[in-house]
Amino acid sequence: MSDPHANSFDVLILGGGSGGYAAAFRAAQLGLSVGLVEKDKLGGTCLHRGCIPTKALLHAGEVADAAREAEQFGVQATFNGVDMKAVNSYKDGVITKLYKGLQGLAKARKVTLIEGEGRLVAADTVEVSGTRYKGKNVVLATGSYSKSLPGLDVDGERVLTSEHALALDHVPASAVILGGGVIGCEFASAWKSFGVDVTIVEALPRLIAVEDEASSKALERAFRKRGIKFKTGKPFEKVERAGEGVKVTIQGGETIEAELLLVAVGRGPTTAGLGYEEQGVKMERGFVITDERLRTSVPGVYAVGDIVPGVQLAHRGFQQGIFVAEEIAGQHPQVIDEAGIPRVTYSEPEVASVGLNESKARELHGDKIEVIQYDLSGNGKSQILKTAGFVKLVRVKDGPVVGVHMVGARVSELIGEGQLIYNWEAFPGDVAPLVHMHPTQNEAIGEAFLALAGKPLHVH
């Protein structure tokens, strides 16, 4: 084994986000020496500028809504506004605690942290600040960045990315959000809870267009009810300064004025200028191309996370990191089924799914598809929470369930069971006999499977 204190390692990882640190920790756990290069902070975008801080904002928004709407539960409360300085303190406190935990784990695992911007200068070598480090195996895990559109200049003041939005020290009076995907809908939801006048502009025909059409429609209904405005099928044309704010022009010449514009049109792979192509790594549109075992075109070089084509989710990168570490260690792990990775939009209501949507299932299986949709209006806990939505199941006739789709408050906590159902190729008859605790929203899964198994109880 290589000397872990020298500049040579069994596994050398470029990037310390969800994929990179998971690969590092698992490889070290398996007895390999590990070097981990990170130019910023361990934990990457997800911990510091993505998943964790946005969910903290969303929870603060949920608390604001609970105070504002407390009377409907018989509770007397007064909502006096949102103190963004205090919200940011809460958010940053969560990040700091998790960051310290990661640092402690890296030290305990004896992972060598190499601070600085790394560049691949040979198939087995990464250069950081003039010093070269070698790895018998190299893992590329450099993550992603917030994309913009041609001709759209992000100034960090009136035209923001999600990173800028997370650092705002005040609640804007109004905002236009360019992009109705996950990031756009989550910020729209949080900001509306804070009292912001929000308008989403989306070029595609519906919000969260990657999800099942029924889920999109349910979210749009909920957003209308909450007063979140959105314009779908309306591509962005230009943005101009207008006094102390911005004026956004969309297709057809319609204009929307607001205090700021949030650009949430997706994330691009962080690969430019890092030496990948020069060393023979196959690339397409900035993404690193791998096989199903996450091997690049260069022997001994692997890639994980957002730089690999597919859904850009922290938990995907995390699992890929574990997979690569085990692959390098010779454990021959099971290939990850991309469709079996859960997807969640943490808005109010939440949208969660795993597997195929109805449209894709019909495309693959034709008329051999059965669908059941159980409305949360029949679920006791959902009524207690005053949430609306559904559990929708898609199955192949006389075969397994191939898609699970949910809309409603807190359904992100339910999709784990959906993941097991999909990945274990469960039949309705396998799940229907399972006992689901009462009263819980989890019962809705049980009810949906009873209906799909031909013995509906609380559905017509």
Side-chain angles (χ1 to χ4, degrees), residues 21 34 119 126 129 140 169 191 198 205 209 229 254:
Y21 84 70
V34 180
R119 188 173 189 276
V126 172
S129 303
L140 309 178
D169 59 1
W191 279 352
V198 179
K229 291 168 284 189
E254 183 181 355

Side-chain angles (χ1 to χ4, degrees), residues 116-435:
E117 187 166 355
R119 188 173 189 276
L120 192 69
V121 294
D124 64 348
T125 307
V126 172
E127 184 173 284
V128 185
S129 303
T131 302
R132 295 195 168 195
Y133 301 85
K134 285 187 174 291
K136 292 179 183 176
N137 301 275
V138 173
V139 181
L140 309 178
T142 43
S144 60
Y145 65 93
S146 292
K147 290 198 300 185
S148 186
L149 295 176
L152 179 54
D153 296 324
V154 175
D155 60 19
E157 181 184 350
R158 294 296 172 194
V159 181
L160 316 179
T161 65
S162 57
E163 288 88 349
H164 300 124
L166 286 168
L168 282 177
D169 59 1
H170 70 288
V171 177
S174 56
V176 174
I177 298 178
L178 183 56
V182 173
I183 296 171
C185 287
E186 289 186 353
F187 269 99
S189 186
W191 279 352
K192 183 62 182 180
S193 296
F194 289 168
V196 182
D197 180 10
V198 179
T199 304
I200 302 171
V201 173
E202 171 56 58
L204 294 174
R206 53 190 172 90
L207 299 182
I208 51 169
V210 297
E211 294 292 346
D212 191 87
E213 188 172 356
S215 297
S216 291
K217 288 180 178 178
L219 183 67
E220 289 176 357
R221 282 195 300 272
F223 273 15
R224 285 191 195 97
K225 190 173 180 181
R226 292 185 61 194
I228 297 173
K229 291 168 284 189
F230 54 90
K231 297 180 182 295
T232 54
K234 295 286 186 179
F236 164 87
E237 290 190 348
K238 65 178 179 178
V239 59
E240 305 165 274
R241 281 286 191 128
E244 295 299 310
V246 293
K247 181 168 73 172
V248 178
T249 303
I250 60 177
Q251 189 180 68
E254 183 181 355
T255 60
I256 311 163
E257 294 195 19
E259 183 177 326
L260 54 83
L261 169 66
L262 170 63
V263 182
V265 292
R267 298 186 64 82
T270 302
T271 56
L274 298 180
Y276 298 172
E277 284 184 290
E278 290 89 328
Q279 302 311 318
V281 176
K282 184 179 179 182
M283 312 277 288
E284 283 184 12
R285 297 178 296 107
F287 288 95
V288 176
I289 303 305
T290 71
D291 63 11
E292 64 178 5
R293 305 202 73 81
L294 300 174
R295 296 173 294 204
T296 71
S297 56
V298 177
V301 179
Y302 299 79
V304 302
D306 287 0
I307 62 172
V308 179
V311 289
Q312 293 176 310
L313 300 169
H315 47 281
R316 171 185 181 249
F318 184 85
Q319 193 62 34
Q320 288 180 334
I322 293 171
F323 176 94
V324 163
E326 293 178 351
E327 179 78 359
I328 290 169
Q331 293 200 340
H332 309 293
Q334 181 179 326
V335 170
I336 299 167
D337 178 1
E338 291 271 317
I341 299 171
R343 305 170 294 272
V344 180
T345 302
Y346 293 85
S347 50
E348 172 50 48
E350 292 181 341
V351 178
S353 65
V354 67
L356 308 178
N357 61 32
E358 182 179 348
S359 175
K360 185 64 176 178
R362 292 195 184 281
E363 181 183 318
L364 293 175
H365 302 285
D367 293 335
K368 294 181 179 179
I369 289 297
E370 291 180 356
V371 176
I372 190 76
Q373 187 165 307
Y374 174 75
D375 198 291
L376 292 185
S377 62
N379 177 260
K381 187 61 180 289
S382 296
Q383 292 310 299
I384 290 168
L385 294 173
K386 291 189 176 291
T387 188
F390 57 77
V391 173
K392 177 177 178 177
L393 306 176
V394 182
R395 77 171 295 201
V396 178
K397 288 178 183 176
D398 301 319
V401 170
V402 295
V404 180
H405 305 272
M406 305 177 186
V407 178
R410 307 183 187 181
V411 294
S412 58
E413 302 296 341
L414 305 183
I415 199 60
E417 183 176 352
Q419 178 192 198
L420 291 176
I421 290 164
Y422 172 85
N423 284 292
W424 287 347
E425 299 181 345
F427 282 55
D430 297 327
V431 182
L434 301 179
V435 179

